[in-house]
């Protein structure tokens, strides 16, 4: 793997940002002004789908780590395009500096003029190092929504999505690898947040509307209500 220097080059990753070292840094954004909800769940659990509902009703801004990585992958000026493409096809977690810098830049560009903002950070953090680095250098999260779904249901949804998504990883071979990464690398993050009492867990097996109803109830219990 090449050395990562997300502050060089001409891509979106070249935006000025906080130092990369996680020592002696304070988060770039104030948690009193910036609300971050992480949204986790296996591939195909419905994160993007439910985020769209939350954007509509709660006034959140949706940032998908996967979408930002795919955008960077397609940016001809980025020197990480091929690296990102390889990691995504293999269902592996892209080196965290890249993803965290993309998220930080996206948050910065979407803040209100008074520095406030409410963000759903979808598909992130997928690995413990991402979680720690983001909370130390960007902003501590308020909670993590976790969509719980069986592999059987997720596989069916992903294969179905693959008929039209054009994604390099919505195929049998990549799906198997993505499930392995989810179990081995991403679930420990959910378990860690759960030990801290910071997880809002919702079953994601039922219809989109039923899942959303349960999600809305679970959010209400944490004092998070629709904005209109
Ligand atoms: P993720 O972002 O977690 O990978 P998506 O939101 O993209 O998942 O959903 C994966 C696929 O499953 C999409 O084609 C979506 O339309 C479909 N889908 C999402 N939620 C449900 C649900 N509750 N029931 C049936 N299909 C769903
Ligand atoms: O969330 P999504 O399914 O769109 O993610 C697609 C891929 O992007 C993941 O399988 C992984 O390769 C990469 N990714 C990552 N780190 C994240 C989110 C996504 O490496 N936090
Ligand atoms: Mg998604």
């Amino acid at each position: 793997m090449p050395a990562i220097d997300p502050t060089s080059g001409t891509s979106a990753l070249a935006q000025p940002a906080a130092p990369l070292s996680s020592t002696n840094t304070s988060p770039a954004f104030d948690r009193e002004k910036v609300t971050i909800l992480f949204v986790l769940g296996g591939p195909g659990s419905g994160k993007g789908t439910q985020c769209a509902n939350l954007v509509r009703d709660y006034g959140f801004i949706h940032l998908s780590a996967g979408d930002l990585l795919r955008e960077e992958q397609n940016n001809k000026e980025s020197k990480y395009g091929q690296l990102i493409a390889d990691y995504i096809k293999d269902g592996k977690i892209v080196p965290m500096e890249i993803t965290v810098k993309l998220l930080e830049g996206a948050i910065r560009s979407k803040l209100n003029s008074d520095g406030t903002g409410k963000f759903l950070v979808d598909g992130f953090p997928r690995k413990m190092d991402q979680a720690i680095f983001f909370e130390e250098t960007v902003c501590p999260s308020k909670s993590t929504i976790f969509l719980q779904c069986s592999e059987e249901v997720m596989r069916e949804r992903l294969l179905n999505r693959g008929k039209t998504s054009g994604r390099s990883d919505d195929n049998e071979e990549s799906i198997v690898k993505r499930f392995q990464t989810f179990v081995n690398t991403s679930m420990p993050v959910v378990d860690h947040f759960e030990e801290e009492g910071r997880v809002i867990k919702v079953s994601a097996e039922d219809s989109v509307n039923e899942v959303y109803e349960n999600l809305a109830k679970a959010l209400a219990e944490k004092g998070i209500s629709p904005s209109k």
Side-chain angles (χ1 to χ4, degrees):
M1 190 184 82
I4 305 296
D5 176 11
T7 56
S8 70
T10 52
S11 73
L13 289 170
Q15 310 269 329
L20 280 177
S21 161
S22 67
T23 54
N24 286 330
T25 55
S26 53
F29 305 113
D30 178 354
R31 71 192 304 174
E32 301 301 322
K33 288 181 149 188
V34 177
T35 300
I36 303 280
L37 286 189
F38 292 143
V39 183
L40 292 177
S45 56
K47 299 182 293 295
T49 303
Q50 296 303 332
C51 282
N53 285 333
L54 294 173
V55 166
R56 185 192 60 213
D57 297 338
Y58 289 73
F60 281 104
I61 292 168
H62 177 217
L63 298 177
S64 156
D67 286 350
L68 289 170
L69 286 167
R70 281 182 287 273
E71 205 177 296
E72 184 68 17
Q73 176 195 313
N74 294 330
N75 177 353
K76 292 198 173 55
E77 292 178 357
S78 171
K79 60 181 187 183
Y80 301 114
Q82 190 56 49
L83 180 147
I84 293 171
D86 292 343
Y87 272 75
I88 287 183
K89 189 149 191 289
D90 265 353
K92 291 190 303 195
I93 304 302
V94 172
M96 61 140 181
E97 290 87 347
I98 295 179
T99 314
V100 171
K101 285 299 150 198
L102 289 171
L103 283 169
E104 182 179 345
I107 291 170
R108 195 180 298 283
S109 72
K110 290 179 185 202
L111 284 178
N112 298 316
S113 52
D114 61 357
T116 61
K118 285 167 58 177
F119 297 91
L120 297 169
V121 180
D122 163 0
F124 182 94
R126 295 270 244 282
K127 194 172 173 180
M128 268 318 293
D129 66 353
Q130 293 185 340
I132 293 166
F133 190 57
F134 183 94
E135 292 206 309
E136 278 184 6
T137 67
V138 181
C139 191
S141 62
K142 182 179 169 77
S143 280
T144 295
I145 294 172
F146 175 55
L147 300 180
Q148 203 165 28
C149 198
S150 67
E151 286 192 4
E152 197 187 354
V153 170
M154 294 192 292
R155 174 178 288 103
E156 196 186 319
R157 287 183 190 167
L158 290 172
L159 290 174
N160 199 35
R161 187 175 72 184
K163 290 176 194 161
T164 53
S165 69
R167 281 179 53 156
S168 64
D169 57 351
D170 279 347
N171 58 74
E172 272 290 358
E173 202 185 333
S174 296
I175 288 169
V176 169
K177 294 178 181 170
R178 292 161 74 194
F179 285 168
Q180 279 168 358
T181 299
F182 175 66
V183 171
N184 296 329
T185 310
S186 305
M187 267 316 289
V189 179
V190 178
D191 294 340
H192 167 76
F193 286 138
E194 188 150 36
E195 275 165 27
E196 296 181 346
R198 293 206 280 159
V199 174
I200 299 170
K201 200 187 281 189
V202 177
S203 168
E205 303 252 335
D206 298 327
S207 71
V208 172
N209 287 344
E210 282 166 313
V211 173
Y212 187 48
E213 256 177 47
N214 290 330
L215 174 56
K217 270 187 215 150
L219 289 174
E221 282 167 19
K222 297 279 176 187
I224 303 171
S225 318
S227 56
K228 41 197 140 111

